[in-house]
Amino acid sequence: METDGDVALDIIVTNVVCVFRTRCHLNLRTIALEGTNVIYKRDVGKVLMKLRKPRITASIWSSGKIICTGATSEEEAKLGARRLARCLQKLGFQVKFTDFKVVNVLAVCTMPFEIRLPEFTKRNRPIASYEPELHPAASYRIKHLKATLQIFSTGSVTVTGPNIKCVATAVEEIYPLVFDSRKEIL
């Protein structure tokens, strides 16, 4: 990604959360007894199923709704979700893979400089908030992208958004604002 000062920033996606439906009722007890790599949480009413490749953890509800977490790309999330649906089909359920949607992406980006957080929050007051007694990072919300950024004084930025494109756009938007509040190296 190229920005103002010809600086390439690496955005490392650490987690992609996706949701899909099976369009059939799932018997959690059957999944727990016959499935592999499963944990039955009867008090909550769900089954956790883990896949090794891609490394994904899925929360399975009896209604047929499944939430997958742990993927590192949108393609990997879809592949893992389809693989999970195939595992449920092998257990004897009439699974149809429908309503797949990526709902959340978590990424980390490191700026090549440190940031003065009090100065950054003063310049971006209505959108940015910094409470050093509560959290070591400044929060910055970009409403039109539905992205939230946690900006640390070390230059590390954690971005949460609805998809990878929004996360990348959020980092591009925040870079000039953060660059103005960078710590000068003596």
Side-chain angles (χ1 to χ4, degrees):
M1 179 180 81
E2 295 297 313
T3 52
D4 298 337
D6 279 317
V7 177
L9 297 173
D10 289 334
I11 301 171
I12 301 159
V13 177
T14 55
N15 190 18
V16 175
V17 181
C18 67
V19 176
F20 73 96
R21 294 196 174 275
T22 59
R23 286 178 57 187
C24 72
H25 179 78
L26 301 172
N27 186 343
L28 298 182
R29 192 168 190 275
T30 306
I31 296 170
L33 292 173
E34 296 175 18
T36 55
N37 295 328
V38 294
I39 303 167
Y40 188 21
K41 302 247 182 177
R42 218 167 84 202
D43 52 322
V44 187
K46 70 177 180 181
V47 170
L48 292 176
M49 184 182 264
K50 294 188 177 193
L51 294 178
R52 289 194 184 126
K53 194 173 181 184
R55 189 174 299 250
I56 283 177
T57 302
S59 298
I60 303 170
W61 278 272
S62 61
S63 64
K65 183 178 180 180
I66 299 174
I67 299 176
C68 300
T69 59
T72 54
S73 71
E74 291 180 3
E75 297 80 25
E76 191 177 284
K78 187 161 189 172
L79 177 74
R82 290 186 63 84
R83 206 166 270 172
L84 209 87
R86 179 67 66 210
C87 289
L88 293 173
Q89 281 178 343
K90 287 180 182 174
L91 293 175
F93 297 104
Q94 298 295 312
V95 172
K96 292 184 180 76
F97 184 79
T98 56
D99 300 336
F100 176 82
K101 183 180 172 190
V102 173
V103 291
N104 197 346
V105 174
L106 182 76
V108 178
C109 178
T110 306
M111 300 292 167
F113 46 80
E114 291 187 350
I115 302 159
R116 289 196 184 109
L117 292 180
E119 185 182 317
F120 172 77
T121 22
K122 278 181 188 166
R123 289 183 181 185
N124 305 290
R125 182 54 87 190
I127 307 163
S129 68
Y130 177 52
E131 297 290 334
E133 292 89 16
L134 302 176
H135 190 58
S139 289
Y140 189 87
R141 180 125 171 84
I142 303 175
K143 285 206 167 132
H144 69 278
L145 292 175
K146 295 180 183 167
T148 304
L149 296 94
Q150 297 290 323
I151 302 154
F152 294 87
S153 62
T154 58
S156 180
V157 179
T158 305
V159 189
T160 309
N163 56 37
I164 292 175
K165 188 178 176 188
C166 285
V167 166
T169 309
V171 171
E172 286 175 11
E173 280 189 26
I174 200 75
Y175 185 81
L177 302 173
V178 170
F179 188 78
D180 292 341
S181 303
R182 74 188 184 280
K183 285 185 183 172
E184 298 295 330
I185 300 169
L186 300 173

